[in-house]
Amino acid sequence: MGKTTYKRYKGSQSFRQRLLLSTLSSTPIIMDEIRADDMIPGLLRHEMSLLRLFETVSDDCVVEVNETGTRLKYKPGIIMGGKNLVHSCALTRSMGYYLEPMLLLGLFGKKPLSIRLKGVTDDHKDLSVDTICNATLHILKRFGVPSEGLDLKIEARGVAPEGGGEVLLTVPNVQNLTAVQWVEEGMVKKIRGWTFSARVSSDFEHSMRFAARGIFNNLLPDVHIFNDHKSGPAAGKSPGYGISLVAETTAGCYISADTAVSCGRAEETGELDVERQERKPAEDTGVEIASWLLQEIEKGGVVDSTHQGLLFILCALCQQDVSKVRVGPLSPYGVETLRNLKEFLGVTFSFRPDPSTGTVILTCVGSGLINLSRKLS
């Protein structure tokens, strides 16, 4: 065996994406000076939890972290997949943080992936589990991922700080992804929404639905918002409520917006004084997310700004053919993704701004990643 050469990075920037791309491209990495100057140095709890999750779904991967957690050495193994896997996520981030990389890793595994995640299902930072069910999975199907075996079941809700939620993710294997020509946005034909409340009155949901529909009903007739009131063990351990809205267009694009509000008492939520804000009425949350969805639609593009990173990664992993996609103004996360893709997969995108709509058309040739570990029947 020859000597392993590592890619070196400084700092904790785009930690999750570097781990994901390192695993997919089988590139060992070393990260130095992770929050070295912070009061609490080193990897955070959710980052350690993500490393454990990567270890769970792959075989023979080597993770070495120094005592202070400021240096990480990661050598990816073979993505195994497998069923009946269970992982308890750190409660500092919601499941959206863990599910996004799992969707991509599962596709290139040896066996189909079936994993049960426990923890916080919804918060205001990451994608909510409803959005992943109703928007993210549809984006994957565009790239030739079969719809049977691709599923996310929400078995229990869990809001910060205590969590207690549970979801079951199943992902099929693919040989490779098909390149896409996806520039048509179409017009919005329907809006679907999902509200939930756990350990609080279902009136919160009614207020959010009423407020959101008040905005949409002036614009289109086909608006339906489903409710999901949980009590007992399925409601998790903390009180809270949330909403996820998805607009579907005539060209089969899904644009989403979501948030969740934790009703835990201030001393429980462990928020710093800076982060703590006056809790808004539920109507305001409904209005805010409905307006945010309309802003995302106005920006244009075939996905919303939160899904740009995922879209670019999917394009870069495709067979060696030209993919062409249209997105709205590039989000900072999208730009970061483009840089990482160039470093790990050697894929560069060419840009063509479209001044008439304020969108950007991106073109790239896929890296032609093939799932070599999959058993051929």
Side-chain angles (χ1 to χ4, degrees):
M1 294 292 286
K3 190 168 175 285
T4 314
T5 49
Y6 286 86
K7 257 191 194 323
R8 291 179 174 274
Y9 292 101
K10 280 190 178 178
S12 61
Q13 199 181 1
S14 56
F15 174 83
R16 177 174 70 141
Q17 212 169 64
R18 282 175 180 164
L19 268 191
L20 171 67
L21 292 174
S22 152
T23 310
L24 288 171
S25 63
S26 305
T27 315
I29 54 172
I30 288 179
M31 290 190 194
D32 278 315
E33 297 178 27
I34 301 173
R35 302 190 183 83
D37 302 333
D38 284 20
M39 200 159 65
I40 304 171
L43 293 166
L44 298 172
R45 263 186 299 184
H46 55 263
E47 293 169 338
M48 282 307 293
S49 179
L50 189 68
L51 279 167
R52 297 282 164 267
L53 180 56
F54 273 61
E55 281 182 333
T56 307
V57 297
S58 55
D59 194 13
D60 209 21
C61 82
V62 182
V63 176
E64 289 175 21
V65 182
N66 68 354
E67 276 177 32
T68 51
T70 51
R71 185 172 195 267
L72 162 73
K73 197 170 173 184
Y74 175 72
K75 185 171 173 247
I78 299 163
I79 307 163
M80 295 300 282
K83 49 180 190 278
N84 304 330
L85 302 174
V86 179
H87 180 73
S88 295
C89 305
L91 303 176
T92 41
R93 290 293 283 264
S94 80
M95 284 179 192
Y97 178 82
Y98 305 90
L99 285 168
E100 240 178 306
M102 280 304 104
L103 285 169
L104 291 163
L105 283 186
L107 295 175
F108 292 95
K110 190 168 182 177
K111 299 179 187 144
L113 174 69
S114 163
I115 187 165
R116 185 180 296 276
L117 296 179
K118 299 178 178 184
V120 175
T121 53
D122 302 80
D123 70 1
H124 57 88
K125 285 185 209 154
D126 299 296
L127 289 175
S128 90
V129 282
D130 291 304
T131 306
I132 291 175
C133 275
N134 303 302
T136 316
L137 296 185
H138 290 294
I139 295 173
L140 290 178
K141 288 174 193 168
R142 274 270 169 172
F143 289 83
V145 178
S147 49
E148 65 248 29
L150 183 65
D151 189 30
L152 179 66
K153 282 197 186 78
I154 303 165
E155 297 186 350
R157 290 279 174 190
V159 190
E162 296 286 315
E166 223 173 275
V167 299
L168 180 65
L169 174 73
T170 53
V171 186
N173 299 137
V174 293
Q175 191 61 43
N176 55 9
L177 295 172
T178 33
V180 293
Q181 299 288 319
W182 195 11
V183 286
E184 285 304 310
E185 300 155 326
M187 305 293 278
V188 175
K189 64 175 178 182
K190 63 181 184 189
I191 289 177
R192 292 285 175 268
W194 292 265
T195 61
F196 77 89
S197 53
R199 296 192 172 275
V200 293
S201 158
S202 59
D203 294 349
F204 285 110
E205 291 188 68
H206 296 309
S207 307
M208 286 190 295
R209 290 214 306 278
F210 187 75
R213 289 197 57 143
I215 291 179
F216 294 140
N217 283 352
N218 305 330
L219 305 168
L220 78 165
D222 191 358
V223 179
H224 195 89
I225 301 179
F226 303 92
N227 62 332
D228 175 21
H229 177 64
K230 292 266 197 261
S231 58
K237 298 175 185 167
S238 295
Y241 57 89
I243 181 168
S244 158
L245 298 171
V246 177
E248 189 185 337
T249 72
T250 49
C253 305
Y254 292 82
I255 310 289
S256 63
D258 62 60
T259 194
V261 179
S262 167
C263 300
R265 291 198 298 278
E267 61 270 20
E268 285 176 3
T269 49
E271 286 180 339
L272 301 169
D273 292 341
V274 189
E275 294 173 359
R276 194 181 307 152
Q277 292 145 347
E278 280 298 302
R279 196 177 297 136
K280 298 192 290 282
E283 295 90 42
D284 292 11
T285 305
V287 169
E288 195 180 300
I289 293 300
S291 316
W292 184 17
L293 182 67
L294 294 178
Q295 274 173 356
E296 289 287 2
I297 295 167
E298 184 191 12
K299 284 178 188 170
V302 293
V303 296
D304 52 73
S305 52
T306 49
H307 281 96
Q308 279 182 11
L310 178 72
L311 179 70
F312 299 155
I313 293 174
L314 286 166
C315 288
L317 295 176
C318 281
Q319 62 205 52
Q320 289 181 321
D321 202 351
V322 177
S323 286
K324 192 172 169 187
V325 290
R326 181 195 296 271
V327 293
L330 287 171
S331 62
Y333 178 58
V335 175
E336 194 67 41
T337 307
L338 293 173
R339 288 191 185 126
N340 287 331
L341 287 171
K342 186 176 177 182
E343 284 183 13
F344 281 97
L345 298 170
V347 174
T348 45
F349 285 73
S350 63
F351 296 74
R352 201 181 83 232
D354 183 352
S356 58
T357 56
T359 55
V360 188
I361 292 175
L362 284 94
T363 318
C364 81
V365 175
S367 63
L369 185 70
I370 293 172
N371 186 352
L372 294 171
S373 54
R374 188 176 89 151
K375 283 185 175 168
L376 293 171
S377 52

